[in-house]
Structures are given as structure tokens and as C-alpha cells.
């Protein structure tokens, strides 16, 4: 899976009825206040809930470990979920998660079924960047090379040339392997790629850093290890994603995320779910 990664005014109607009954002209101040309320819409509603200790609604899958899933007690948890809960604690608000399939996640945000999404969303396309805002990133990912611990050939990305890479042909990582002139051995997914590398039928596989860290945390005795990591400038950050326009609410969320960086909460949660700090670029 590729990584993938916020209500309306009724006061004006009431005001119109009162105006007809009283045959009065509304004052300039009243008009400005009404127009300001209309123009902010959902934004002012979210901000007012944050300021008053209300509830924020967050879309997430609930079926995408280790980011968002149900544990053995059926409790919703995961790195993205626990980061969102920590943000809510910093803001002094409650959080209600709305579990939604990935394909419908941004559509649910568009329809304002929730205020934001916590699901490893990266705004990498111009279309998404024009429509959504992303809070300060809480995870960073990029391509890594996974190969046998005993193999010492991986001293640079150029050293991949001529080696066999187990990759899905439709993935970005398959294209990356070709870029470095590796011979691509087709597979259906990461599980099969790992097996081919372990069996010696492929020299390495390329995949996302977070996916590989999750694999190594689940299988600490694996004969494989990360040999190369993408440079910092090629890494992609994922954060809470909101509809554009609610700058004041976004600023408060960013302040909360910054505090979580500084007080070590994001580092602790990273190590809990991945065995390594993924919160820093």
C-alpha cells in the first residue's frame, strides 16, 4: 500500500423576519458581524470548538496498522491515532474518530463529515495542495534499501546498478529501481519481495522506510536490514489534513504539534510503534 498522506448561519433568516416586522434598517456594525459569521462558516465553528474545549471529528481508516487499527481489545489505536489524541490533549478538546475507507477519506473531508484526516496523508500533488492544508508533519518517510545483513555491496545508491531488485512493477519503487539501473524481479507485494531477498533470488528490495521499519519491528530476528536511506530532501512528511481556509485553527494545531515535538511525545510514540524516531526529517 502506498503511502498514502473541516456549518451554516440561521441568524440572518431570523434577522430578516424581525426587519420586516419592525421596518428598521440594520446598523452597519450588525451587518458586518453577520457577514463575518457567514464568511467563516465551518472555520469559525471548528475554531470555536477548539477554543471552548469541544469535540473535533477526525477521519481515519482503523484498518491500516501500525498507523490506525484495532488492537486485541478492539480499541482503536496506532501511531496516527495516538498522535491525534495527544494533539487533542494539548488543545484541551475531545476527539471523535470517524472510521472510513481510504478511497472515501478525502471525499468525507470535502463533505465535512469530519474536520480533519489522520491517515498518513501526504499532499504531494498540486490538486491536493490547492484544496487542503496539512498541519506540521508528525512522520517522515522515504525509500530505503532492504537487503541481507551479510551483503556489503550497498555503499551508495549507484551501487544498485546491475543488482536484482524484487519489486511490484506498478509501484514507484519499481521505477526507482530502474532509475538506478537495477534488474527488476517482478513480485505482487512487499511480503513476496522480502521472501525472494531472503532466499537469494533477489539482491534487495526497495520500499517505504515506515513499512520496512514496521516489518523489522515485527521480525527483529530477520536476516535483513536497511542498507540505504533516501536523503532528507527526498523524504515526504505526513500530517493532519484539513480543508483550506481555517488558518486560525490550523495555527493552534501546529502549536500543539510543535509542543509534542519539543516535549518528546512524538519521539516516544514513534519508538513505541516503529522502534525508531520517525517524527524528525
Amino acid at each position: 500500500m502506498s503511502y498514502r498522506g473541516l456549518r451554516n448561519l440561521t441568524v440572518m433568516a431570523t434577522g430578516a423576519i424581525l426587519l420586516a416586522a419592525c421596518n428598521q434598517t440594520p446598523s452597519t456594525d450588525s451587518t458586518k458581524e453577520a457577514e463575518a459569521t457567514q464568511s467563516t462558516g465551518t472555520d469559525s465553528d471548528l475554531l470555536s470548538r477548539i477554543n471552548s474545549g469541544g469535540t473535533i471529528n477526525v477521519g481515519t481508516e482503523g484498518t491500516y496498522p501500525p498507523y490506525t487499527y484495532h488492537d486485541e481489545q478492539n480499541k482503536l489505536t496506532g501511531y496516527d491515532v495516538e498522535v491525534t489524541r495527544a494533539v487533542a490533549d494539548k488543545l484541551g478538546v475531545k476527539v471523535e474518530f470517524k472510521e472510513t475507507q481510504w478511497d472515501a477519506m478525502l471525499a468525507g473531508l470535502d463533505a465535512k463529515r469530519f474536520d480533519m484526516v489522520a491517515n498518513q496523508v501526504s499532499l504531494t500533488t498540486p490538486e491536493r495542495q490547492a484544496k487542503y492544508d496539512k498541519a506540521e508533519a508528525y512522520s517522515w518517510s522515504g525509500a530505503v534499501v532492504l537487503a541481507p545483513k551479510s551483503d556489503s555491496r550497498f555503499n551508495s545508491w549507484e551501487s544498485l546498478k546491475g543488482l536484482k531488485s524484487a519489486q511490484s512493477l506498478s509501484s514507484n519503487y519499481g521505477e526507482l529501481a530502474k532509475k538506478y539501473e537495477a534488474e527488476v524481479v517482478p513480485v505482487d507485494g512487499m511480503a513476496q519481495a522480502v521472501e525472494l531477498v531472503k532466499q537469494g533470488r533477489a539482491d534487495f528490495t526497495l520500499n517505504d522506510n515506515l513499512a520496512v521499519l514496521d516489518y523489522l519491528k515485527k521480525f527483529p530476528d530477520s536476516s535483513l536490514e536497511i542498507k540505504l536511506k533516501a536523503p532528507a530532501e527526498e523524504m515526504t512528511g505526513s500530517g493532519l489534513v484539513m480543508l483550506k481556509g481555517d488558518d486560525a485553527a490550523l495555527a493552534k494545531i501546529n502549536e500543539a504539534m510543535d509542543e509534542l515535538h519539543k516535549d518528546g511525545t512524538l519521539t516516544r510514540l514513534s519508538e513505541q510503534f516503529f522502534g525508531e524516531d520517525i517524527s524528525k526529517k
Side-chain angles (χ1 to χ4, degrees):
M1 184 172 185
S2 68
Y3 291 96
R4 343 189 241 266
L6 278 87
R7 291 172 178 35
N8 272 322
L9 183 68
T10 58
V11 174
M12 291 299 292
T14 305
I17 295 171
L18 292 174
L19 175 60
C22 300
N23 193 27
Q24 295 177 343
T25 302
S27 69
T28 302
D29 289 343
S30 298
T31 303
K32 287 182 178 178
E33 182 180 352
E35 288 174 348
T37 308
Q38 277 187 314
S39 67
T40 54
T42 300
D43 301 343
S44 63
D45 177 66
L46 174 58
L47 184 60
S48 67
R49 280 183 278 126
I50 291 175
N51 289 337
S52 63
T55 299
I56 58 173
N57 302 298
V58 180
T60 194
E61 276 184 275
T63 56
Y64 182 30
Y67 310 102
T68 164
Y69 64 100
H70 288 262
D71 64 14
E72 295 177 353
Q73 289 72 46
N74 202 34
K75 176 190 174 184
L76 181 66
T77 188
Y79 181 65
D80 289 40
V81 171
E82 299 306 332
V83 168
T84 305
R85 286 181 173 138
V87 169
D89 285 344
K90 289 290 185 185
L91 292 173
V93 300
K94 303 177 184 66
V95 58
E96 183 174 339
F97 290 99
K98 308 285 187 180
E99 294 183 45
T100 306
Q101 291 182 341
W102 168 251
D103 290 344
M105 192 73 63
L106 293 181
L109 184 57
D110 294 342
K112 301 177 183 177
R113 289 185 50 232
F114 26 79
D115 304 305
M116 62 197 73
V117 167
N119 213 94
Q120 285 298 297
V121 181
S122 299
L123 301 183
T124 55
T125 66
E127 292 78 14
R128 286 186 178 182
Q129 291 168 2
K131 195 172 186 179
Y132 307 105
D133 277 328
K134 182 181 72 179
E136 183 180 347
Y138 55 78
S139 69
W140 292 92
S141 63
V144 297
V145 171
L146 184 69
K149 294 177 180 178
S150 59
D151 196 330
S152 61
R153 291 177 292 176
F154 300 93
N155 47 42
S156 70
W157 285 87
E158 287 68 30
S159 65
L160 303 183
K161 182 177 179 178
L163 300 183
K164 293 182 179 180
S165 181
Q167 305 295 154
S168 170
L169 293 176
S170 61
S171 75
N172 295 334
Y173 301 108
E175 293 301 316
L176 187 60
K178 292 177 183 177
K179 173 185 173 182
Y180 286 104
E181 301 181 64
E183 178 187 342
V184 173
V185 179
V187 295
D188 293 328
M190 181 177 171
Q192 186 182 5
V194 167
E195 285 305 309
L196 290 189
V197 176
K198 288 166 66 176
Q199 294 166 12
R201 295 164 61 190
D203 298 304
F204 70 96
T205 185
L206 285 165
N207 213 303
D208 180 80
N209 178 52
L210 303 186
V212 172
L213 286 175
D214 181 46
Y215 161 75
L216 294 175
K217 188 172 187 296
K218 290 177 179 176
F219 302 98
D221 297 325
S222 173
S223 61
L224 309 182
E225 68 180 5
I226 294 174
K227 295 291 188 177
L228 298 170
K229 292 185 178 183
E233 61 269 19
E234 294 182 10
M235 298 187 75
T236 302
S238 296
L240 296 172
V241 169
M242 306 162 50
L243 287 171
K244 266 196 180 300
D246 201 346
D247 294 343
L250 179 64
K252 286 185 173 289
I253 292 167
N254 280 335
E255 288 174 9
M257 198 70 74
D258 187 54
E259 290 180 23
L260 296 175
H261 274 289
K262 291 177 178 177
D263 69 13
T265 299
L266 294 185
T267 296
R268 175 179 58 79
L269 290 173
S270 292
E271 293 173 347
Q272 175 184 337
F273 288 99
F274 295 95
E276 183 175 306
D277 190 357
I278 65 165
S279 68
K280 298 180 178 66
K281 191 169 183 178

